[in-house]
Amino acid sequence: MSYVGPDFDPPQPRRSHLRRPLTVAVAAVAVGAVAGWGVWQAVGDSGGGDGGSDSAAVPQTRSATTPPATGEPTASGDADNGDDGDGGDGDGDGDGDDGKKASPSGSSSAPAATGPLKGKVVVIDPGHNPGNFQHTTEINRRVNIGTNAKECDTTGTTTNDGYPEAEFTLDVSRRLRTLLEQKGATVKFTQDDDRDWGPCIDERARIGNEANADAVVSIHADGSGVGNRGFHVILPGSVNEGAADTRPIVTPSRDLGERIAGHFVRATGSAPSNYVGDGTGIVTRTDLGGLNLSTVPKVFIECGNMRDTKDAAQLTSGTWRQKAAQGISDGITSFLKN
Ligand code: ZN
């Protein structure tokens, strides 16, 4: 459900360097909240077309846009961001392996025999792990993410009623896998609740790298304050330090993230975050190990704020989660077909 009202107050222009991401997500707001889904279907590619149309549609709607003003876009207005974002990870060895249960982290894939995504490899990274709560010592170990050291992994947040983010991320990821496999993609998971904890964020990145993935998406939900609502997609900023060199993936990751944001709006009706990203639904960060260590196009998506009761009502709904998976799938498909 898109929400109107306070979130769509007059704009407060800010930070000019964010103009580019603004164009896409702001347009997404306008289209999703003002113009309605029909417009998206007219200008977007319906998940089947090529992604190019997404971007092309953006400027056209921009003049009619009224970016949401609310929220103080502090770099990390959400308490859970750091955690969500996951800690860094750096040395990848060993860390993640310790937490394995019987099966390897890569989950099985049964892609359709044919389809628009045949031959494409998508790695889905369900944030956190339900078992992390019982393995705090292991997940608190610090790993190197190139720029610095961060915790191997975090527990993730929960709704006020106790629905864990780690369950949410797995559910959306599994729905997403089904949708992508139906289009012929080969899908791998970084974890499928098939290990006791983790993996560490460096291993999460490595799984995507070693799969030579065409796209990687890390699924999360935020743990911010009440009243903070909406989704945001996190893009890798340019980092070239230690084991991290994101320079080759910055541009394709932005393309991937912008397409996911646009399609997420259309599929869910949710508005971009009102507390980070200046209303664009797009945030760029250089402190997340899962992004810093990636050598393939990768983004995170925070699907909503679990600590806000209105967002939580959506996040705990299977119907809504299916829409979320559909939006992400459409965005990935758009990117891969472009
Ligand atoms: Zn998270």
Side-chain angles (χ1 to χ4, degrees):
M1 322 289 257
S2 62
Y3 31 107
V4 294
D7 294 344
F8 293 91
D9 286 344
Q12 289 178 3
R14 279 179 258 234
R15 302 191 303 216
S16 58
H17 64 280
L18 289 176
R19 297 308 287 175
R20 185 152 178 272
L22 267 168
T23 60
V24 167
V26 160
V29 176
V31 174
V34 180
W37 295 19
V39 173
W40 261 109
Q41 288 172 341
V43 302
D45 63 14
S46 263
D50 60 288
S53 53
D54 295 354
S55 299
V58 169
Q60 300 170 6
T61 58
R62 207 168 165 230
S63 57
T65 306
T66 302
T70 43
E72 272 318 320
T74 53
S76 57
D78 48 346
D80 190 45
N81 236 351
D83 112 25
D84 271 350
D86 75 48
D89 70 26
D91 70 82
D93 322 37
D95 293 67
D97 296 336
D98 301 345
K100 282 180 182 168
K101 289 181 181 174
S103 48
S105 53
S107 103
S108 64
S109 179
T114 185
L117 300 186
K118 184 167 179 57
K120 299 294 186 181
V121 176
V122 179
V123 169
I124 301 173
D125 177 36
H128 316 285
N129 179 319
N132 281 0
F133 286 99
Q134 282 76 48
H135 292 271
T136 53
T137 300
E138 291 91 338
I139 67 170
N140 284 337
R141 183 171 65 242
R142 294 169 82 79
V143 294
N144 185 340
I145 64 166
T147 51
N148 59 298
K150 287 185 76 171
E151 291 75 20
C152 150
D153 203 9
T154 54
T155 60
T157 187
T158 68
T159 65
N160 292 332
D161 291 334
Y163 178 56
E165 180 190 355
E167 296 290 349
F168 170 85
T169 66
L170 281 165
D171 182 83
V172 172
S173 295
R174 289 165 179 161
R175 294 171 188 271
L176 175 58
R177 173 171 57 197
T178 298
L179 293 169
L180 291 169
E181 287 181 346
Q182 286 172 348
K183 292 182 175 178
T186 296
V187 179
K188 297 182 182 231
F189 272 30
T190 57
Q191 60 94 10
D192 196 5
D193 197 18
D194 52 359
R195 46 187 297 153
D196 294 334
W197 56 271
C200 294
I201 53 179
D202 55 343
E203 184 180 356
R204 290 176 187 266
R206 190 166 58 251
I207 290 168
N209 296 345
E210 293 182 350
N212 196 26
D214 295 291
V216 185
V217 179
S218 189
I219 309 293
H220 290 263
D222 213 348
S224 188
V226 174
N228 288 342
R229 298 199 58 190
F231 77 92
H232 64 278
V233 174
I234 304 174
L235 312 178
S238 183
V239 173
N240 178 26
E241 189 172 345
D245 183 1
T246 61
R247 293 172 297 175
I249 68 163
V250 165
T251 297
S253 297
R254 172 172 293 282
D255 187 20
L256 172 65
E258 290 178 345
R259 289 171 192 275
I260 289 175
H263 282 278
F264 195 84
V265 167
R266 187 178 66 182
T268 65
S270 290
S273 171
N274 66 5
Y275 59 97
V276 287
D278 290 332
T280 65
I282 300 284
V283 173
T284 300
R285 292 176 61 171
T286 57
D287 63 324
L288 302 182
L291 294 180
N292 283 4
L293 298 174
S294 184
T295 59
V296 292
K298 181 173 182 178
V299 300
F300 279 48
I301 182 167
E302 299 278 4
C303 295
N305 174 21
M306 300 197 91
R307 292 294 183 175
D308 177 85
T309 53
K310 290 180 180 175
D311 267 16
Q314 296 179 325
L315 298 165
T316 55
S317 159
T319 301
W320 189 90
R321 291 194 299 270
Q322 185 64 30
K323 291 178 181 176
Q326 185 68 56
I328 298 167
S329 174
D330 289 347
I332 293 170
T333 300
S334 170
F335 172 75
L336 293 178
K337 290 183 67 181
N338 187 41

